[in-house]
Amino acid sequence: MTMNDRRLWSCMLVCCFRVVSATDAADPQAATLWRELEPAWDVVAQKVVKLVGEERQHRMIDLAYASVGANVCGIALKRSAFEQAFEVFEDDAYRTLPEPQRKQYEQHLLVHYGNFVGLLTAEALLSRETFCRTAAELRTSHGGAAAYWGDEHSGR
């Protein structure tokens, strides 16, 4: 992994490191399980960067984190902003792809998004209280995943 990949890895997990630190103190077994997820994060991160680039990878992580925060912590999800955020993946390069390649791109995109949601859900469930506290703190910043949380009911 290159230095650039390491920086990206660090940025990607910035929200999750608080969970690990708190989990280390509260439950060493959960911390060990969390660290076992690191290789999966590495693999998914590399694949997503290859598919959509670094900037869009951050968007995908924010979307996954927003979804997990909504599902695990009960934070309201702004459906319209959440759905609209996926449009960044449908750029000019995507639109010019032949139909079979476009379908393949969409499948890869959804699989990787699902992988991020799964990894974040696993982390959230290892230490739900800490994860939700961190999500609540992030929510007040209105940046990253918090851009997709609001007063709308998640059922909209």
Side-chain angles (χ1 to χ4, degrees):
M1 187 176 281
T2 67
M3 181 58 97
N4 198 27
D5 290 336
R6 288 276 179 216
R7 279 194 304 257
L8 184 59
W9 166 248
S10 297
C11 291
M12 181 174 68
L13 295 177
V14 71
C15 294
C16 300
F17 283 135
R18 285 185 177 173
V19 174
V20 173
S21 298
T23 302
D24 280 343
D27 186 355
Q29 184 179 10
T32 299
L33 291 172
W34 190 91
R35 284 187 188 91
E36 289 178 7
L37 295 174
E38 287 183 44
W41 273 108
D42 282 337
V43 170
V44 175
Q46 289 171 4
K47 288 182 178 186
V48 172
V49 168
K50 184 177 178 183
L51 182 67
V52 298
E54 291 180 22
E55 186 177 319
R56 290 183 185 152
Q57 180 201 38
H58 293 290
R59 171 73 59 96
M60 187 181 292
I61 293 167
D62 287 344
L63 289 164
Y65 194 90
S67 178
V68 173
N71 288 321
V72 174
C73 307
I75 299 172
L77 189 65
K78 289 193 272 186
R79 287 273 183 207
S80 58
F82 184 80
E83 291 171 2
Q84 188 176 11
F86 278 96
E87 291 176 9
V88 74
F89 301 106
E90 297 176 3
D91 60 5
D92 290 337
Y94 164 81
R95 286 185 202 97
T96 61
L97 289 173
E99 186 65 25
Q101 289 177 321
R102 197 174 343 169
K103 293 276 187 203
Q104 184 179 30
Y105 172 84
E106 291 169 359
Q107 289 173 343
H108 287 288
L109 193 68
L110 290 175
V111 166
H112 297 320
Y113 169 75
N115 288 334
F116 279 143
V117 168
L119 289 166
L120 284 167
T121 299
E123 292 174 6
L125 296 177
L126 284 172
S127 183
R128 184 181 185 152
E129 182 179 316
T130 304
F131 182 89
C132 291
R133 185 174 43 250
T134 302
E137 291 171 11
L138 178 64
R139 187 176 182 190
T140 63
S141 75
H142 303 291
Y148 311 111
W149 293 328
D151 297 329
E152 290 184 27
H153 297 291
S154 59
R156 278 191 183 171

